[in-house]
Amino acid sequence: MDNTDQATPAKRKPRAVSTGRSSKAEQSIGAGSATDKRVVGKSRVKKSGGSLITTIPIAARNLAHVEDGQEWAFSVEGRRIIMEPVEKEKPVRVRRPRYTLDELLDGSNPDVPMTDEEKAWDDAPAMGREAW
């Protein structure tokens, strides 16, 4: 029997192997600079409610360090939509002052008569598990 009569299995298309060179779509413009731009994927715009949404391809997400829940600001230059992360403001730590009882009572005058409201509060019956 001749081997030419048998159907040859379909050959798989070889996977692309990086040669260190980028395709035209992936070539950097100003590589290494703050304006480093390259096409790293595509995504369709879809309608969701009254907004348009899109997904961020994983390659772009990884290059731009995009995280779930991160806040982004949008600006428009011509027909370009620019998306930049909103910098989180570092919380200002304010040290709460600590006072001694004497410091707190320094500004009070025990000889000042109580108002009617203060007397009513002072004379009110205990509520709950208060004990005097």
Side-chain angles (χ1 to χ4, degrees):
M1 183 171 187
D2 190 5
N3 283 346
T4 57
D5 293 343
Q6 292 179 354
T8 57
K11 290 185 178 180
R12 288 187 179 172
K13 186 176 179 180
R15 296 182 84 183
V17 177
S18 175
T19 61
R21 294 187 215 160
S22 300
S23 68
K24 281 187 178 180
E26 294 174 334
Q27 287 180 348
S28 296
I29 301 170
S33 69
T35 59
D36 187 20
K37 299 174 188 172
R38 57 185 140 171
V39 176
V40 291
K42 292 182 180 181
S43 180
R44 288 196 183 273
V45 175
K46 300 171 187 166
K47 190 168 188 170
S48 176
S51 298
L52 295 175
I53 62 169
T54 190
T55 56
I56 301 172
I58 195 163
R61 184 183 77 193
N62 292 340
L63 286 169
H65 306 288
V66 178
E67 297 174 11
D68 184 36
Q70 194 174 13
E71 188 175 0
W72 291 80
F74 293 87
S75 58
V76 177
E77 288 181 7
R79 290 183 41 92
R80 258 176 218 248
I81 299 172
I82 296 146
M83 183 173 122
E84 297 176 303
V86 174
E87 296 295 325
K88 291 182 182 177
E89 291 183 20
K90 292 182 180 177
V92 177
R93 297 189 80 198
V94 178
R95 191 172 146 195
R96 292 189 341 185
R98 293 183 178 248
Y99 299 103
T100 64
L101 181 59
D102 289 333
E103 290 173 325
L104 292 171
L105 295 176
D106 273 348
S108 65
N109 183 355
D111 299 327
V112 174
M114 284 198 271
T115 65
D116 291 336
E117 184 180 1
E118 290 170 332
K119 285 180 189 172
W121 179 81
D122 194 39
D123 296 335
M127 302 181 90
R129 296 186 300 179
E130 297 171 339
W132 294 105

